[in-house]
Amino acid sequence: MRLFVLLVIILTPFALSSSPVVESEDMTFATYLPLINVPDTRVLWGYDLRVSRGAQAESLLPTLPATWARAGDLVWGAIETQRGVYDWEAAAGLEANIRRLRAAGVEPIVLVQIAPAWARRLPDRACSPVAPDAYADLARFAAAVAARYRSGDLAVRYWQFWNEPDFTPAVADTKGIGCWNTGVAPWYGGDAYGAALRVFANAVRSVNPGAQIIGGNFAHFWPDDRQTLGFLRGMIEGSGLACDMIGFSGYTRWGSAERMTLKAQSLRRTLAAYGLAWMPLAAVEVADVCPEGQPCPPDYHQAQANYAARIYALAIALNLRGILWYTLLEQGAGFQHSHLADVGSSGVTPRPAFYAYRNAALLLQGATYAGPPLNDVRFDQEGVPHMLRFIARDGAPLYVFWRPTAQDEAGWGLVTSSGRRATCISHLERPTPLTVDCSDQDGDGLIRFTVSDAPIYIRLAP
């Protein structure tokens, strides 16, 4: 049976809006929320671990509740420099990372990309699609890879085929992204990528039937995503989707919403048009980054931590298959300072975002989303509290509130039964978050708290 209580303000799918109820002179607003049970879901949580940083990350891995992580790149062109001859020493760094993750109880993801020169459509470019007449070579290589990484401490279940293939070959030749987008409508090369993906997936599954194939990890240009969506349509109409999930990159926010949310919705609309609404999506790269070519703003580390404190909650609410932060640790700018921990002369230093990302995952372990579908997003809600509602693993209602881009704290209230016990968890950017008793002490059925851009988690007693 479902129990509902009165809703006194209008809710967008995850934004609170309209005229709030003024509770007192300090502008505490009351929100009445439905109590809804939903089926259990499991959204994988993790990070990208660069091969060059694997050894430095070893002290961090046991402290993180990761379920999967990207272990690095398996470069086809480095393994098979001569046709039919495989030099596995070229994968030594990757294999060390796989073992590290396995030892920490984390499922590794391996990214396969960059064909040998003789297998490229553009022989003079490392950034090139696989030539169709080399598909037999691709299949043979994929089967050899699946056999090598089938069991033991090198076991790999998750395979990503190329990275951000919706970039054109015009990107830097050594970046390891793109290479499949022709720039020509209607499919932009997605049909060729889809055909090669099917060859790879079939070969891997012939050796390891339990393997999971990630297609795409689209860069997914935004807001004009016509080429990315055309690329996806080309994959479907050309060969049909041969993957187990579609990956995409969802960095930073757009207005009051994270791009991850908007891109997931856009991809799902396209998949639904082909009867593929069931296809799982995974945010293979997410992070808050500094503007390209500009210095980071003074409050960047706090803003990054605020993003990290809510992005996994949004992934669960979107019913994504998984989420990966890019990247775990790096030295210097890295990808526009996106990493969670810094490598310096004194060792590894976790950032506030490291703790926020970890603490959010710990709070949400085993939780299920219990709100309306996130199928529409408002762009004019900055500074207005957004809310997500979950059922924790032990059955306790768990809420996440934040006010996008708001620097100040506003009083807010959550209406419950009289005398309801509650715990408010804030400052997730600290190694140990601030946890306070915010129960309804005066018996008026209102849990009071303050909220800003930094998310606050409110856990009611079961």
Side-chain angles (χ1 to χ4, degrees):
M1 184 178 73
R2 293 181 178 178
L3 174 65
F4 291 87
V5 293
L6 179 64
L7 178 69
V8 297
I9 66 174
I10 298 172
L11 295 178
T12 68
F14 69 97
L16 306 182
S17 62
S18 190
S19 301
V21 176
V22 179
E23 182 66 22
S24 66
E25 291 183 359
D26 62 357
M27 297 296 286
T28 294
F29 306 138
T31 307
Y32 293 80
L33 303 168
L35 305 179
I36 306 173
N37 291 318
V38 296
D40 183 42
T41 58
R42 182 170 183 261
V43 180
L44 302 174
W45 179 94
Y47 47 80
D48 174 274
L49 180 61
R50 297 286 81 197
V51 167
S52 61
R53 301 299 177 190
Q56 293 162 311
E58 285 184 353
S59 63
L60 297 179
L61 302 189
T63 71
L64 295 167
T67 42
W68 69 346
R70 197 157 66 175
D73 298 2
L74 185 68
V75 178
W76 180 14
I79 302 297
E80 192 177 0
T81 55
Q82 300 180 52
R83 201 177 225 131
V85 178
Y86 304 134
D87 176 16
W88 298 109
E89 283 298 315
L94 169 66
E95 293 182 356
N97 261 6
I98 293 172
R99 290 188 173 99
R100 287 186 183 99
L101 293 170
R102 280 272 167 226
V106 180
E107 286 280 352
I109 304 166
V110 169
L111 166 59
V112 176
Q113 64 175 348
I114 307 180
W118 45 266
R120 300 172 191 160
R121 185 180 296 172
L122 306 172
D124 59 337
R125 292 292 309 274
C127 185
S128 168
V130 177
D133 60 7
Y135 282 177
D137 299 286
L138 173 61
R140 186 183 65 249
F141 173 72
V145 164
R148 182 173 179 84
Y149 300 101
R150 182 167 47 187
S151 60
D153 61 356
L154 284 180
V156 175
R157 183 184 176 203
Y158 293 97
W159 297 94
Q160 179 187 329
F161 186 68
W162 249 258
N163 192 46
E164 298 182 334
D166 50 332
F167 269 112
T168 71
V171 299
D173 202 39
T174 57
K175 276 194 172 183
I177 59 174
C179 312
W180 293 82
N181 186 344
T182 62
V184 179
W187 291 349
Y188 301 97
D191 51 337
Y193 173 81
L197 174 65
R198 179 165 293 280
V199 170
F200 175 82
N202 288 347
V204 169
R205 292 187 186 118
S206 70
V207 176
N208 182 2
Q212 296 283 297
I213 310 299
I214 303 171
N217 186 37
F218 297 126
H220 200 148
F221 309 106
W222 193 267
D224 184 357
D225 60 354
R226 287 174 294 180
Q227 291 197 26
T228 297
L229 298 183
F231 196 95
L232 175 58
R233 293 187 186 100
M235 291 170 61
I236 298 169
E237 297 191 26
S239 302
L241 291 180
C243 52
D244 298 286
M245 67 189 82
I246 294 291
F248 67 99
S249 297
Y251 291 98
T252 67
R253 69 172 58 170
W254 178 265
S256 63
E258 268 62 48
R259 281 185 173 90
M260 182 189 77
T261 303
L262 305 177
K263 291 180 179 183
Q265 293 166 344
S266 179
L267 290 169
R268 282 199 171 124
R269 285 192 292 268
T270 299
L271 291 165
Y274 288 94
L276 296 169
W278 53 267
M279 173 61 68
L281 300 179
V284 178
E285 293 182 26
V286 298
D288 190 69
V289 302
C290 295
E292 187 173 4
Q294 302 177 32
C296 294
D299 62 346
Y300 170 64
H301 279 185
Q302 183 62 55
Q304 185 190 39
N306 295 348
Y307 175 97
R310 64 179 172 264
I311 199 66
Y312 186 48
L314 281 163
I316 297 174
L318 286 164
N319 193 28
L320 298 185
R321 185 67 187 95
I323 185 173
L324 293 163
W325 189 284
Y326 187 93
T327 185
L328 178 57
L329 75 165
E330 190 53 88
Q331 186 173 22
F335 175 61
Q336 298 167 229
H337 298 273
S338 66
H339 41 285
L340 294 171
D342 292 296
V343 179
S345 57
S346 59
V348 174
T349 305
R351 289 181 177 178
F354 173 91
Y355 296 113
Y357 191 54
R358 181 196 67 181
N359 291 332
L362 290 170
L363 286 166
L364 291 163
Q365 272 187 328
T368 56
Y369 181 58
L374 303 191
N375 52 19
D376 183 44
V377 174
R378 296 282 297 275
F379 299 106
D380 57 352
Q381 298 298 296
E382 296 193 19
V384 174
H386 286 38
M387 179 275 295
L388 297 172
R389 184 182 188 278
F390 302 88
I391 300 297
R393 183 164 44 191
D394 63 356
L398 179 65
Y399 299 88
V400 184
F401 285 88
W402 74 98
R403 294 169 56 227
T405 72
Q407 301 302 312
D408 63 314
E409 292 192 336
W412 207 258
L414 176 64
V415 171
T416 64
S417 56
S418 177
R420 189 70 178 267
R421 306 294 299 174
T423 303
C424 290
I425 305 103
S426 62
H427 294 287
L428 271 68
E429 76 279 1
R430 300 178 182 176
T432 301
L434 177 64
T435 301
V436 300
D437 184 344
C438 55
S439 303
D440 175 24
Q441 302 286 0
D442 54 13
D444 64 355
L446 188 64
I447 306 298
R448 292 177 172 82
F449 56 94
T450 59
V451 61
S452 67
D453 188 61
I456 183 171
Y457 284 66
I458 301 174
R459 176 187 164 85
L460 302 184

